[in-house]
Amino acid sequence: MSPDLTAEQGGPDEGHVAPPVPSWQAPGDTERGLYEAKTRGDWAAYFDVLAAADLYHPMSRAKADARPGWVSYTTTYWGPGPGSRCLAFFTDGMLPAPVPDPVFFEVDLDQLVKDWPQEDPWLAINPGSPCEAFFPATAAHRQMWRWHADRTPHPRRNQLRTLWAGGPLHGPVAHGLACGALLCVSNASLWNAMGWHGTGYVRERKRLREWWDITSREEWLSAEEALLGGRMSSPFWGLVLGIRSALARDFGGMVEVDHWRQVTSRVIRSRAVAQEITPEVAHRSDSETEAQVAGAQRLIGRITRYEARFRADGLLPDGRFVHTVEAWDYGRASKMARWGLGARFCDVAEAEQAVLRAGRVSRINYRSWEDFSAAYILGRCLHFDEEEFGDWYGDMLNAHRILMTDPNSPWLNIPFK
């Protein structure tokens, strides 16, 4: 049984919790869950929702930049009574649009139990909203928070999460955001949050630094342009897949693997001959050419085995194959626009333009969400998975299935073309 939380919220007769608003469009499922629990006076359920949520607290950007990895808490007097000191935290659906300063850092309820900075401030959740609530934060109360945190899985994975208010649901911007939905579902982030805070300012910068070697606006712009141009994934993959696509156009259908292998070998050798300048260069390049031919043969084997698995798992219809893997770049471009915004390497308007471009190039190069998805997942697997069919593949397969079956999925509600 849940601990008694009456003391935590203070009781409505003490004026600590504002009365519910009769009709309110919650921005997301988290906020709706908080609002409904508050309306019922079910504070145990309120904390169950809170324990599964990401929570955000504002801080000075100067402080965040001066000591990366450190956070600072700011108390406010927006509390349950006159003079009450609070630490205010917001769920992701209640965050304002990103501005240069302040920025937000992300925590969860379990971290707050461990790292609460002072005894006297109250915990304020979404102050000023219909789902707001205020709770005392003494050591004894924080142990009650721990009880909820311990029984609630976090972080979330493999969930379709939508902003029902404050995020586009239809139209070109929504389409561009939906191009990044595979990663959003895998990470259980809001797929249509254009005003992106992600994992918080510090962690968004860390993500770009560690995974992309991006530490400046100029580097972010370069990466975004490369992704939008389909230049970030291997051009060798594009060559090999392009040969098969050309054969399919010439012969009107599926291409036998042996034929694909033979023609690919001829094309690579012919290209090498065309680039020869002197006999010395030709001699040195022979071994490199044959290494390329061998690499292409291995790649063809990997692609055909992935596609066979895709067909078995319902990712790819029978008789179909992947033409290009540029979808992996375009989907990442949609996300990179938001990562850059979260890291403050761009503003909302600039991120939105990049998202729109990601949607446009995706529509030009692919026929459907299914087509886009298979190409995206193949590119990701060729780069990361090494034919292990582990998490790099399994996470995307789960996300694909959710996006192709959930009635609220953008892929079922936004036409690809």
Side-chain angles (χ1 to χ4, degrees):
M1 180 175 292
S2 167
D4 182 4
L5 296 177
T6 303
E8 282 194 78
Q9 56 88 17
D13 57 326
E14 297 181 38
H16 294 160
V17 181
V21 174
S23 178
W24 179 58
Q25 172 63 66
D29 293 341
T30 296
E31 294 74 27
R32 184 177 69 247
L34 294 175
Y35 176 73
E36 290 175 351
K38 172 183 172 178
T39 300
R40 298 191 307 268
D42 187 348
W43 300 106
Y46 192 99
F47 265 82
D48 282 341
V49 175
L50 205 60
D54 296 320
L55 303 173
Y56 298 80
H57 184 78
M59 69 179 293
S60 158
R61 181 173 174 180
K63 289 183 178 179
D65 289 338
R67 302 185 71 182
W70 291 75
V71 299
S72 64
Y73 293 89
T74 303
T75 57
T76 70
Y77 291 92
W78 192 354
S84 297
R85 298 173 67 249
C86 290
L87 291 179
F89 293 84
F90 300 86
T91 53
D92 51 7
M94 297 301 302
L95 288 169
V99 295
D101 197 23
V103 295
F104 285 79
F105 66 86
E106 178 200 37
V107 295
D108 58 37
L109 193 64
D110 184 59
Q111 289 173 283
L112 288 182
V113 171
K114 301 170 184 174
D115 301 332
W116 192 258
Q118 304 170 49
E119 284 289 323
D120 53 332
W122 287 54
L123 168 66
I125 301 297
N126 293 333
S129 76
C131 63
E132 72 172 8
F134 302 88
F135 304 93
T138 67
H141 288 99
R142 295 199 302 277
Q143 287 307 307
M144 295 183 184
W145 306 356
R146 180 185 296 279
W147 186 88
H148 289 274
D150 286 347
R151 74 193 197 110
T152 304
H154 198 276
R156 293 172 292 196
R157 299 284 295 176
N158 296 314
Q159 291 184 24
L160 175 65
R161 300 185 61 231
T162 301
L163 269 179
W164 300 109
L169 295 169
H170 303 284
V173 175
H175 181 279
L177 292 170
C179 291
L182 282 164
L183 268 183
C184 289
V185 170
S186 178
N187 296 327
S189 55
L190 294 161
W191 74 265
N192 63 332
M194 190 64 255
W196 181 261
H197 291 269
T199 57
Y201 171 76
V202 172
R203 290 179 185 168
E204 292 295 286
R205 289 215 159 194
K206 181 180 179 182
R207 181 212 304 269
L208 291 179
R209 182 178 69 252
E210 293 184 350
W211 284 89
W212 296 84
D213 200 27
I214 292 174
T215 60
S216 68
R217 169 176 166 78
E218 291 70 29
E219 290 168 345
W220 171 80
L221 281 169
S222 177
E224 185 68 69
E225 287 299 321
L227 290 167
L228 288 167
R231 301 190 306 273
M232 191 70 81
S233 54
S234 168
F236 193 61
W237 303 347
L239 169 66
V240 172
L241 287 167
I243 290 169
R244 181 174 62 174
S245 295
L247 291 171
R249 287 193 297 271
D250 289 344
F251 293 97
M254 290 293 290
V255 178
E256 293 294 332
V257 174
D258 287 344
H259 188 200
W260 183 18
R261 289 181 182 277
Q262 293 165 11
V263 173
T264 300
S265 298
R266 287 202 302 269
V267 168
I268 291 173
R269 291 182 180 121
S270 297
R271 285 161 58 102
V273 170
Q275 293 168 0
E276 290 174 3
I277 300 174
T278 67
E280 292 78 8
V281 172
H283 177 73
R284 289 198 306 269
S285 66
D286 283 346
S287 60
E288 295 174 0
T289 300
E290 292 310 307
Q292 278 194 329
V293 169
Q297 298 304 313
R298 291 192 297 272
L299 178 60
I300 289 171
R302 292 184 68 200
I303 291 170
T304 55
R305 288 189 292 274
Y306 271 117
E307 289 178 334
R309 178 66 178 267
F310 286 9
R311 294 185 191 100
D313 288 338
L315 265 171
L316 196 61
D318 289 340
R320 296 279 294 278
F321 58 85
V322 176
H323 292 268
T324 78
V325 292
E326 291 175 352
W328 188 41
D329 282 357
Y330 303 151
R332 290 185 295 168
S334 174
K335 292 295 295 182
M336 180 61 75
R338 287 170 271 180
W339 294 333
L341 178 58
R344 302 307 192 270
F345 291 138
C346 64
D347 58 24
V348 174
E350 193 171 14
E352 184 175 292
Q353 287 304 307
V355 165
L356 285 167
R357 289 176 61 193
R360 284 197 294 270
V361 292
S362 297
R363 285 195 299 270
I364 290 169
N365 288 280
Y366 296 94
R367 294 173 290 184
S368 66
W369 289 116
E370 296 95 325
D371 192 28
F372 176 90
S373 182
Y376 180 103
I377 295 172
L378 179 60
R380 192 175 198 255
C381 286
L382 289 175
H383 186 81
F384 287 118
D385 184 62
E386 298 295 339
E387 288 192 79
E388 294 178 359
F389 296 98
D391 290 343
W392 291 109
Y393 174 66
D395 287 350
M396 290 297 98
L397 176 62
N398 289 336
H400 170 89
R401 287 172 170 169
I402 290 170
L403 285 163
M404 294 307 300
T405 59
D406 191 305
N408 293 319
S409 167
W411 289 8
L412 299 183
N413 291 286
I414 301 172
F416 189 79
K417 290 290 191 178

